[in-house]
Amino acid sequence: MTRDADPAISDEDLMVRVREQNDQDAFAVLVSRHQQNLLNYFVRSGVQYDGEDLVQQTFLRIFRYRNRYVVSAKFTTFLLLVARQVWLDELRKRKRRERGEVPMPEEPIDAPVQQDVSDTQHVENRQDVLRLLETLPDGLRQVVVLGVFEERPYAEIGRILGIPEGTVKSRMFHALGRMREFLKNDESGTPVKGKKK
Amino acid sequence: MTISEHLNEFSPCDREDFLSLVARLRSLPLPAASPQLTDRILAAVKVEAERDVTPSRSFLPSAFSSYRFRKWMSRAAILLLLLGLAASLLWKSADRTPAVSNDLDWIASLQEQDGSWSPVRAGGYEAYRPALTALAALALASRDPSSDSVHAACRALVSMQQEDGSFGQKGRVQSYNQSITAFALAALLPTHDGLRPALEKAVTRIADEQTQSGGWDYEDGSQGNTALTAWNVRALSLAERQGVAAARLPLRKGLRWLRDVMHDNGTVVYHRGGQISRSESLRALTAHALLTAGASFDGLPLLGKRIIRELSSANGEGKPADSYRDYAKVIAFRAAGEGREADTVRKFWHPNAKEDTWGEIGGRLYSASLFALADAR
């Protein structure tokens, strides 16, 4: 099987092959199909430098825990569940680093974000959106990442984050309202709580 | 429900605001994954598959998984554990252990043709190739400093150095690659004289990166963090002993910075003025730097010993395996002349623990190299 396997073979079928037969070729196809989306997920979640290493960690965990994959579940839901856990672990490590418990920095050398951005407008636009997302605590930000960027149905977001669908809806409302307030105050020059300079 | 359906529920005014907000968010430019990413991931997965850490669901026949059987097995396991503990307490030899020898063979077998080590092949991050090559080279040098493997590793380290003296690509991790590699260059210099130009450039680079107050950090605006400063102080101290004059001044400033992050009661902080750190690795590393690099300065060894007094030789029972912590504690206890404490930490250290705290960053190469280094006298 090549990495550009028949698109008719679903992610779920490939994952079953990985689970039942340790099929690394099938896994290669899954990696090839989803690595970019996963990298986007981490960047939108707030990763600045080490997105690719978190992508690597996520796929490693998927492989490590392949027996836990349930056939009835969508592969992308499983993938995002694991990615979410990797991200939470990363946040915990960052807190430990702040307390001085981490000997090696978590953000390795690859900085593809900076390498790809060339023109000034591009950078400003990027900084603006990231600044906007930074006004949100992680709980609200995850709802925005999965709902606005990934366009996942709220029920699926609820399964990934382990919260009821109604909570997803109210968090989305609060997140949008908070960002709108930030933008209004930003334009009028009023300082806003949580604003990052 | 999706976001589009949700937005339809709002008043026209809100909907318009939120639609424009959503469009703005979606305009976020995103990075493209690097072309090597798939290969890196698959190489790491291959290592994982070879380890085969996935627990099998039907490993035991049902008769063997009964409650009585498991109870019997757990009693037998406790008995074996007690016997093992007794045996290890009786074991007084300080010679290199067969485990270390096996680890060194394993490290040597993993060396690439160009003399470096691929972190990914050992389950770690590619980003740390210079630092992990440096640690692996030091580990092998502890057995035979003039072996072909160590020569090849030295050549690889030199070839990884860039014009400005740095190691690895730009980014925050460069700081650790820099200090660990400079440390290795200085340590290997006596047997590999060709390393001197590389070491001098590395030292100059470290000096350039030092903040005004004498520390080092990878965070913008910070005057230093204790862990990185301790590593750089170790590297500069060794470099100065090898006759690199440029190490002298930054070393003194670094030691002064370390002196100022510790309190009278033997505790240390990560950032100046920050909260007291509970991290044992941080305290041990600081103590070691004060005891060794600060040996010829009045009062510094005393401060190092004060930290050691508060350091426990128990290696975190119930906590995750942590090769970095155990390494720091062993070298710190040894530097303080507390050989028994060092041996206690080393005896209960499991360098190949699958769940080592740094497993995903440095892979087994990191823990095996540190274990061998801690074992070296």
Side-chain angles (χ1 to χ4, degrees):
Chain A
M1 190 184 296
T2 67
R3 287 175 194 176
D4 308 312
D6 182 356
I9 305 177
S10 70
D11 292 341
E12 289 71 23
D13 287 342
L14 290 166
M15 192 59 208
V16 169
R17 285 191 205 178
V18 175
R19 196 191 67 176
E20 303 297 333
Q21 302 158 25
N22 284 351
D23 186 338
Q24 290 186 41
D25 289 337
F27 197 71
V29 179
L30 288 171
V31 170
S32 170
R33 279 185 190 172
H34 295 285
Q35 61 179 11
Q36 183 63 57
N37 280 344
L38 206 50
L39 181 61
N40 294 347
Y41 165 80
F42 285 120
V43 171
R44 288 159 175 159
S45 294
V47 178
Q48 215 178 339
Y49 299 102
D50 55 353
E52 293 203 350
D53 282 314
L54 296 184
V55 171
Q56 177 179 322
Q57 271 188 48
T58 306
F59 278 115
L60 260 181
R61 283 198 201 180
I62 294 267
F63 189 80
R64 194 174 292 163
Y65 300 118
R66 57 197 179 279
N67 286 340
R68 295 188 190 173
Y69 175 68
V70 185
V71 187
S72 58
K74 266 177 74 177
F75 173 73
T76 47
T77 307
F78 182 57
L79 182 71
L80 284 167
L81 261 169
V82 176
R84 165 83 181 139
Q85 198 50 53
V86 167
W87 176 234
L88 287 175
D89 290 347
E90 171 67 14
L91 289 175
R92 271 195 284 272
K93 278 183 191 169
R94 286 182 182 191
K95 276 187 187 153
R96 285 173 51 211
R97 187 171 64 205
E98 281 165 18
R99 295 200 304 264
E101 294 173 14
V102 176
M104 277 191 171
E106 301 307 306
E107 301 204 350
I109 52 182
D110 297 331
V113 172
Q114 290 165 354
Q115 287 162 358
D116 290 340
V117 173
S118 52
D119 69 274
T120 314
Q121 181 61 41
H122 209 51
V123 174
E124 280 175 7
N125 188 21
R126 180 184 159 71
Q127 294 307 328
D128 279 352
V129 176
L130 288 178
R131 208 154 56 96
L132 202 51
L133 288 169
E134 278 171 14
T135 61
L136 304 176
D138 189 58
L140 297 186
R141 184 167 176 158
Q142 284 296 313
V143 168
V144 172
V145 170
L146 296 169
V148 174
F149 294 107
E150 302 274 334
E151 298 185 66
R152 302 267 158 197
Y154 284 11
E156 190 185 341
I157 298 174
R159 278 197 295 278
I160 292 167
L161 300 181
I163 53 177
E165 187 178 348
T167 308
V168 175
K169 198 173 168 182
S170 65
R171 282 193 189 179
M172 181 65 84
F173 175 73
H174 286 301
L176 293 172
R178 206 159 162 160
M179 285 188 284
R180 176 170 65 176
E181 188 194 1
F182 173 81
L183 281 176
K184 279 181 183 164
N185 288 319
D186 197 40
E187 279 154 18
S188 65
T190 314
V192 178
K193 190 183 172 189
K195 177 178 173 179
K196 307 233 169 153
K197 287 281 179 193
Chain B
M1 172 178 279
T2 61
I3 179 74
S4 312
E5 290 160 352
H6 189 187
L7 290 177
N8 283 335
E9 290 181 2
F10 293 122
S11 68
C13 176
D14 281 347
R15 189 164 60 242
E16 196 178 322
D17 278 359
F18 290 154
L19 275 171
S20 119
L21 182 57
V22 164
R24 188 165 180 171
L25 288 172
R26 285 178 178 162
S27 69
L28 172 67
L30 291 163
S34 60
Q36 308 85 3
L37 180 59
T38 311
D39 290 334
R40 269 170 48 196
I41 294 170
L42 295 177
V45 165
K46 199 173 166 200
V47 173
E48 184 74 21
E50 281 164 8
R51 280 193 206 161
D52 196 21
V53 294
T54 312
S56 171
R57 278 176 170 177
S58 55
F59 176 65
L60 290 171
S62 57
F64 292 111
S65 57
S66 67
Y67 171 72
R68 283 182 66 187
F69 180 77
R70 276 185 275 131
K71 191 172 165 187
W72 183 85
M73 281 293 283
S74 60
R75 282 181 182 168
I78 291 168
L79 187 63
L80 278 173
L81 184 69
L82 290 172
L83 284 171
L85 280 173
S88 63
L89 286 171
L90 287 170
W91 173 55
K92 300 280 185 190
S93 168
D95 292 333
R96 293 177 76 75
T97 64
V100 168
S101 184
N102 290 342
D103 275 344
L104 290 174
D105 290 340
W106 177 79
I107 290 169
S109 74
L110 224 62
Q111 192 171 22
E112 303 282 323
Q113 278 201 326
D114 68 357
S116 72
W117 276 263
S118 161
V120 172
R121 280 182 65 197
Y125 287 169
E126 175 60 27
Y128 290 108
R129 187 182 282 262
L132 288 169
T133 295
L135 289 174
L138 285 172
L140 291 182
S142 70
R143 181 164 65 181
D144 179 5
S146 50
S147 68
D148 290 345
S149 299
V150 180
H151 278 294
C154 289
R155 284 195 297 274
L157 289 173
V158 171
S159 72
M160 279 188 259
Q161 191 173 36
Q162 291 159 60
E163 270 304 297
D164 61 1
S166 66
F167 289 90
Q169 299 166 36
K170 295 253 180 281
R172 304 169 75 170
V173 81
Q174 194 175 65
S175 309
Y176 275 99
N177 275 327
Q178 188 70 23
S179 51
I180 293 172
T181 310
F183 177 75
L185 291 174
L188 295 169
L189 186 65
T191 42
H192 302 81
D193 198 46
L195 295 177
R196 186 170 294 279
L199 175 62
E200 286 173 349
K201 273 165 78 176
V203 165
T204 306
R205 171 77 182 179
I206 290 175
D208 289 346
E209 295 291 306
Q210 191 169 31
T211 65
Q212 274 199 323
S213 63
W216 286 267
D217 204 344
Y218 35 80
E219 307 273 2
D220 284 341
S222 165
Q223 283 298 303
N225 79 55
T226 306
L228 187 59
T229 303
W231 267 106
N232 276 329
V233 161
R234 289 184 75 193
L236 291 170
S237 168
L238 222 45
E240 191 194 23
R241 271 189 258 164
Q242 305 302 342
V244 179
R248 188 179 156 79
L249 189 62
L251 170 63
R252 276 145 189 76
K253 283 169 71 179
L255 280 168
R256 197 164 54 224
W257 196 93
L258 283 181
R259 183 197 63 198
D260 291 347
V261 293
M262 78 162 286
H263 297 171
D264 288 343
N265 59 2
T267 55
V268 298
V269 295
Y270 185 62
H271 286 124
R272 266 185 182 176
Q275 288 188 330
I276 290 169
S277 170
R278 288 183 301 167
S279 162
E280 287 188 299
S281 39
L282 192 69
R283 282 187 277 147
L285 211 55
T286 309
H288 179 263
L290 293 170
L291 285 162
T292 54
S296 54
F297 297 89
D298 278 349
L300 292 189
L302 206 63
L303 293 176
K305 285 202 171 173
R306 199 173 290 167
I307 301 176
I308 295 285
R309 272 211 301 270
E310 302 303 316
L311 207 58
S312 157
S313 62
N315 48 355
E317 196 180 337
K319 290 184 191 169
D322 187 334
S323 46
Y324 182 75
R325 174 199 64 208
D326 293 345
Y327 163 74
K329 284 170 69 172
V330 169
I331 60 170
F333 278 128
R334 287 238 172 89
E338 307 273 358
R340 273 181 70 175
E341 302 290 308
D343 286 344
T344 305
V345 177
R346 193 166 63 85
K347 280 177 188 172
F348 293 99
W349 176 359
H350 303 289
N352 295 324
K354 284 169 184 160
E355 300 301 329
D356 191 279
T357 306
W358 312 110
E360 284 184 347
I361 294 176
R364 191 183 149 198
L365 185 58
Y366 185 54
S367 51
S369 300
L370 290 180
F371 188 60
L373 282 176
D375 192 62
R377 301 299 174 100

